[in-house]
Amino acid sequence: MKVLITGSNGQVGTCLVKQLQACPKTEILAVDRNELDITSQSDVVKTVNEFKPHIIINAAAHTAVDKAETEVDLSYAINRDGPLYLAQAAENIGAALLHISTDYVFAGDKEGIYSESDTVNPQGVYGTSKLAGEKAVLEACSRAVILRTAWVFGEEGNNFVKTMLSLAEQRDELGIVADQFGGPTYAGDIAAALITIANDIVKQGNSFDHQYGIYHFSGLPHTSWCGFAQTIFDKAVEQKVLDKAPIVKGINTEDYPTPAKRPANSKLDTQKITETFGIQACDWQRALNQLVDYQ
């Protein structure tokens, strides 16, 4: 299996490279933005045509949610145009494209959990540009899997876990948003899910065709940012990563204004991916058992 990974230095991309390197009979071409600018159609075509991957995994994205509100052109270039060029290139050589998307395609005002068929209604530039990327990929590539995820964290890059551990060293008390709910998702588990799907595509060939489309993958149990933070601190104290946990006070979204609106409800239904591929929802609490690796 030949796999092209874009965004290889990001949270998920780094995990993909590590895990695929341990897979037998797998050839990897891992590129970051310095090695392949996915917003350049000619560069994408050249790289794909030369390497001829069986699978392209697009882990590249403009994920700075607040900056996206002013960096509109950049957001669309990376989140819509780049995926479109990858999808077109994949279609031209008969490759499959696995593309990572986000809970931000939803408004976040639904009661209960979001399934893949629920109405999309992004509330900001980031979500709107990611939704445009989804549509572009599905229209351009007949062998595409969209994996929507949420609240990503891991040992690499900037994320909520690292921020909380850093703030806990500086403050005795923290106010954390308690009225936004979702499923924290470990980057390593996202990578593993994508590799499982990639292997199924290669093994099944044409018989996989009816399984292309959109899937949700995120963590359980669902929690709030406040609950997520408290769990991080409790585990950090247990593991002696922190001497003591700061006091966590729940605050409302309106008490912590941001340029971009966040979904109040990011709870994703992961039943479809479990039924189709046997991939279980991310156990995010287990993924916090080695917090020393996040420092």
Side-chain angles (χ1 to χ4, degrees), residues 49-277:
N49 287 349
E50 287 180 355
F51 183 59
K52 292 184 170 58
H54 301 106
I55 306 286
I56 300 172
I57 304 180
N58 181 33
H62 186 263
T63 59
V65 175
D66 289 325
K67 285 185 178 180
E69 293 299 307
T70 52
E71 296 176 346
V72 178
D73 291 343
L74 180 63
S75 297
Y76 276 91
I78 298 173
N79 295 339
R80 178 196 61 194
D81 300 345
L84 171 62
Y85 302 149
L86 289 167
Q88 291 171 335
E91 186 71 8
N92 287 339
I93 66 165
L97 173 61
L98 277 54
H99 174 68
I100 302 170
S101 193
T102 174
D103 56 299
Y104 276 70
V105 300
F106 297 113
D109 56 1
K110 178 187 176 180
E111 294 291 334
I113 54 180
Y114 279 100
S115 69
E116 289 83 352
S117 60
D118 278 328
T119 301
V120 289
N121 184 21
Q123 299 295 295
V125 173
Y126 169 64
T128 305
S129 64
K130 289 294 289 183
L131 178 59
E134 286 188 9
K135 292 178 178 177
V137 165
L138 293 173
E139 289 174 3
C141 184
S142 59
R143 302 174 186 85
V145 171
I146 306 288
L147 193 74
R148 290 177 182 152
T149 190
W151 296 23
V152 180
F153 69 94
E155 296 89 351
E156 303 295 329
N158 298 317
N159 56 66
F160 186 77
V161 175
K162 288 190 171 186
T163 299
M164 289 301 103
L165 291 175
S166 176
L167 289 174
E169 297 278 8
Q170 306 166 30
R171 303 182 192 174
D172 296 324
E173 184 177 297
L174 293 169
I176 309 294
V177 173
D179 59 355
Q180 295 174 18
F181 298 88
T185 317
Y186 176 53
D189 289 340
I190 298 172
L194 289 165
I195 292 169
T196 295
I197 296 170
N199 281 323
D200 278 5
I201 290 171
V202 172
K203 287 176 184 176
Q204 295 180 30
N206 291 338
S207 64
F208 186 92
D209 287 357
H210 68 284
Q211 297 173 131
Y212 290 111
I214 299 173
Y215 293 87
H216 289 173
F217 178 76
S218 62
L220 288 176
H222 293 129
T223 187
S224 66
W225 288 111
C226 183
F228 189 16
Q230 188 64 64
T231 302
I232 293 166
F233 297 143
D234 290 345
K235 284 184 171 283
V237 171
E238 287 175 13
Q239 297 167 40
K240 296 182 169 52
V241 170
L242 292 176
D243 293 330
K244 66 173 184 175
I247 297 170
V248 178
K249 293 182 64 178
I251 62 174
N252 295 322
T253 298
E254 62 191 26
D255 298 325
Y256 187 73
T258 56
K261 183 180 179 182
R262 266 71 174 168
N265 176 15
S266 288
K267 299 175 185 177
L268 299 180
D269 184 352
T270 59
Q271 184 176 356
K272 181 183 175 183
I273 199 169
T274 300
E275 292 177 348
T276 306
F277 302 108

